[in-house]
Amino acid sequence: MTDRDSQVQGIFNRINASYDRINGLMTLGGHARWCREVARLAQVPPGGRLLDIATGTGVIALAARRREPRAEIVGVDFSENMLAEARTKPGADGITWEFADAHELRYADESFDAVTHGYLLRNVSDVPRVLSEQLRVLKPGGRVVVLETAPPRGLLKLAVSAGMSVVLPLLGQLVAKDRDAYGYLKSSTLGFIPPAEVARLMREAGFQDVGYESKYLGTNVILWGTKPPAARDSGTGTAAA
């Protein structure tokens, strides 16, 4: 874990109690709706396995549980305080909550039908490695669905950037009593790469059928991709060794 990773971990360990409330205020309720959309797009089959990375307070994982009660859902995060918050929510008993570093997942190759995450990539030190780990643990044909922030562009760039620079730290001070932590979240949002660049990195990691849809004046985005199906021996019709 790099010094930056340790810093980010400390920040999320401090803001767990206020995280859902501020997300809801900042997105006018959109955050919970987008998490439900991520869970839907993951297309977890009945009895399948979903890994929700950077699960935070578990919003995506719990939405997936409601959609597919028979699935095995694992929510992981590197903030123990966020995991503690997730475990208090209704329905949390039906999910396995575990500590994990997204740079080095402990799960076996091809062990999940779908991988989801929200606001993970802007907070990690090595995006290509994190995406490669997700590809590794996905089964062939499995889907990854990503909820991420995006830097504002176009005519609204100045207004949105100015608004976030003022509103997010102010909400952090008023709601969480932690202006510095939400100052970091503001800078990591405005400084993150555009969705087209994230999509390119996903394709470079090995995902196919990559696409995305912008949300909330382009400041949030949902991206998706698929792990290629297993190669097959054209002579026997069985998977290649």
Side-chain angles (χ1 to χ4, degrees):
M1 185 180 294
T2 67
D3 290 343
R4 180 180 183 275
D5 294 330
S6 296
Q7 176 193 14
V8 174
Q9 183 183 52
I11 287 171
F12 281 97
N13 274 331
R14 283 157 40 196
I15 63 173
N16 57 292
S18 61
Y19 189 69
D20 285 343
R21 185 178 178 190
I22 290 184
N23 270 345
L25 290 170
M26 280 297 299
T27 64
L28 301 179
H31 172 69
R33 184 172 64 254
W34 303 331
C35 288
R36 292 193 296 270
E37 187 171 349
V38 168
R40 177 181 63 81
L41 291 172
Q43 299 178 9
V44 185
R49 299 187 77 210
L50 166 70
L51 177 64
D52 183 41
I53 310 173
T55 193
T57 60
V59 181
I60 293 174
L62 289 163
R65 162 58 64 231
R66 290 190 290 272
R67 286 195 62 84
E68 184 44 70
R70 294 165 290 180
E72 178 185 349
I73 298 174
V74 180
V76 302
D77 205 286
F78 78 155
S79 166
E80 291 282 12
N81 288 354
M82 283 287 188
L83 289 170
E85 193 76 21
R87 291 185 182 105
T88 68
K89 293 192 170 183
D93 290 347
I95 296 171
T96 300
W97 307 102
E98 295 181 336
F99 179 90
D101 182 348
H103 296 87
E104 192 170 356
L105 299 171
R106 66 173 186 81
Y107 305 104
D109 295 357
E110 301 182 359
S111 53
F112 291 93
D113 297 283
V115 170
T116 56
H117 48 94
Y119 309 133
L120 166 68
L121 298 180
R122 67 186 172 96
N123 290 308
V124 301
S125 57
D126 191 339
V127 172
R129 179 175 177 180
V130 166
L131 290 172
S132 293
E133 276 291 273
Q134 294 169 25
L135 187 78
R136 179 184 65 79
V137 302
L138 267 177
K139 296 177 183 179
R143 289 173 62 83
V144 62
V145 187
V146 179
L147 173 61
E148 196 47 84
T149 56
R153 303 178 68 187
L155 297 176
L156 293 174
K157 180 177 181 178
L158 289 178
V160 173
S161 298
M164 288 190 67
S165 296
V166 173
V167 173
L168 192 50
L170 181 60
L171 281 175
Q173 177 64 39
L174 295 176
V175 178
K177 312 301 182 188
D178 196 331
R179 188 181 185 92
D180 289 344
Y182 281 92
Y184 160 76
L185 294 181
K186 177 266 298 182
S187 62
S188 66
T189 297
L190 295 178
F192 193 53
I193 57 179
E197 178 69 6
V198 179
R200 182 185 67 80
L201 291 172
M202 291 173 67
R203 286 190 289 267
E204 287 187 356
F207 291 103
Q208 65 181 22
D209 302 325
V210 174
Y212 63 88
E213 181 179 352
S214 296
K215 306 287 183 180
Y216 201 48
L217 302 178
T219 59
N220 283 254
V221 61
I222 295 177
L223 305 101
W224 55 85
T226 304
K227 182 171 181 173
R232 292 189 174 272
D233 187 318
S234 60
T236 63
T238 58

